[in-house]
Amino acid sequence: MADKEIDRVSGTETTGHEWDGLKELNTPLPRWWLWTFYATIVWAVFYWILMPSWPLVNDYARGIRGQSQRAIVMEQVAALKDMRARTGAALADASLQDIQADPGLLDFAMANGRAAFGDNCAPCHGAGGGGAVGYPNLVDDSWLWGGDPDAIHQTILYGIRSAHEETRFGDMPAFGRDELLDSGQIRSAANYVRSLSGLDTEAGADLAGGEAVYLDNCAVCHGDDGKGMQEVGAPNLTDGIWLYGSDLDTVVHRIRVGGGGVMPPWVDRLDPVTIKSLAVYVHSLGGG
């Protein structure tokens, strides 16, 4: 056996390996590290015996304790489903007013509704319910079809202008496209409508003529005072809230082409408990 070589600088024995004049020192591992390493080996052996660890061809070694994290998780999931089923049954039997009055049911409905809103409603109404052009803002105080919990629930169930036979329906005629009004009458009416909410009108606009056009064609739905009618989803024209925009060109375009947005019915897509939860959550956003 060759004599041991000691490094002159560190005084440590070398391993005999050398690369480009660099010699590897044979520095032993610290005792605490070695004992820790040995302890982990011993612990692993006991773990293999006690706990599931070894894969087999069609199964796995279940260990002496027979513990299964999968089984534990499944039990917890089953318990959670059972709890939700009990609370859901109570929610299904309660009125919307009873839900709002019961802190436990309200917490469950809010959590359930918030999740359902994010999955189903946020793409149109926004994550916070703020809406967008053509999609109603759910956090203001202007509701085309009513903002109390029952009205919201009805809207969610059957939608707006949808294919469901019980849908809410109200359609604005296409006064220009169907040649019910000429372009001059439409522009005068648009200026008059803007004046109802205090917006500026064009210089020289015929507001008197626009009022006459409005009373003959628009007041039947929007009311003589322009306050709107929730029964047919006609918006209030005197506030500062505009679904499609308030500039003159947009108002002219809306009078010309008429129509309205479509909201799908959710009665066949979501269960009754989720729809109730959505009604409670949407009402809580502030606009209710």
Side-chain angles (χ1 to χ4, degrees):
M1 185 174 180
D3 294 336
K4 298 178 180 179
E5 182 181 0
I6 305 299
D7 179 62
R8 290 182 304 138
V9 176
S10 63
T12 303
E13 179 185 349
T14 69
T15 63
H17 299 157
E18 181 178 345
W19 296 270
D20 296 332
L22 298 176
K23 296 181 179 181
E24 180 183 14
L25 300 182
N26 186 16
T27 305
L29 293 169
R31 287 295 181 89
W32 66 266
W33 192 97
L34 286 172
W35 284 113
T36 302
F37 177 66
Y38 298 150
T40 60
I41 295 175
V42 174
W43 177 86
V45 172
F46 278 101
Y47 187 89
W48 293 339
I49 297 172
L50 295 174
M51 306 293 289
S53 54
W54 291 102
L56 303 175
V57 176
N58 297 317
D59 198 2
Y60 60 92
R62 300 180 181 274
I64 295 176
R65 296 190 60 188
Q67 185 173 349
S68 170
Q69 291 295 328
R70 180 186 294 273
I72 293 173
V73 170
M74 295 303 294
E75 290 175 3
Q76 294 173 342
V77 169
L80 180 61
K81 286 183 177 180
D82 182 63
M83 182 274 291
R84 287 181 173 175
R86 292 195 305 270
T87 307
L91 200 71
D93 295 335
S95 69
L96 293 169
Q97 291 71 25
D98 291 339
I99 294 171
Q100 291 178 316
D102 187 312
L105 290 179
L106 181 60
D107 287 345
F108 180 84
M110 288 291 290
N112 195 31
R114 184 180 296 108
F117 186 91
D119 291 342
N120 301 279
C121 313
C124 291
H125 292 285
V133 176
Y135 301 98
N137 183 345
L138 304 179
V139 301
D140 60 23
D141 293 320
S142 180
W143 290 81
L144 294 178
W145 301 93
D148 62 86
D150 290 322
I152 296 171
H153 185 254
Q154 180 80 2
T155 300
I156 297 172
L157 277 174
Y158 305 120
I160 307 296
R161 303 179 189 89
S162 71
H164 197 280
E165 61 182 9
E166 296 188 54
T167 188
R168 295 188 183 278
F169 189 85
D171 206 6
M172 178 174 171
F175 290 100
R177 187 180 60 203
D178 295 340
E179 299 181 353
L180 302 174
L181 299 173
D182 60 39
S183 58
Q185 290 174 310
I186 291 175
R187 200 160 193 89
S188 295
N191 274 288
Y192 175 73
V193 166
R194 279 170 51 84
S195 73
L196 291 177
S197 58
L199 296 175
D200 294 336
T201 57
E202 286 182 307
D206 182 11
L207 295 182
E211 181 180 12
V213 172
Y214 174 87
L215 292 174
D216 289 343
N217 299 274
C218 313
V220 64
C221 291
H222 294 282
D224 291 346
D225 56 0
K227 297 291 186 180
M229 294 176 59
Q230 288 187 347
E231 293 82 358
V232 294
N236 183 349
L237 303 176
T238 66
D239 58 22
I241 300 172
W242 295 79
L243 184 59
Y244 293 96
S246 61
D247 62 277
L248 182 61
D249 289 340
T250 297
V251 178
V252 167
H253 176 74
R254 186 52 48 194
I255 298 173
R256 180 180 293 120
V257 303
V262 176
M263 173 179 166
W266 296 96
V267 62
D268 296 323
R269 306 185 186 196
L270 300 174
D271 62 84
V273 170
T274 300
I275 291 178
K276 272 190 176 181
S277 300
L278 270 173
V280 172
Y281 175 73
V282 169
H283 183 263
S284 75
L285 291 176

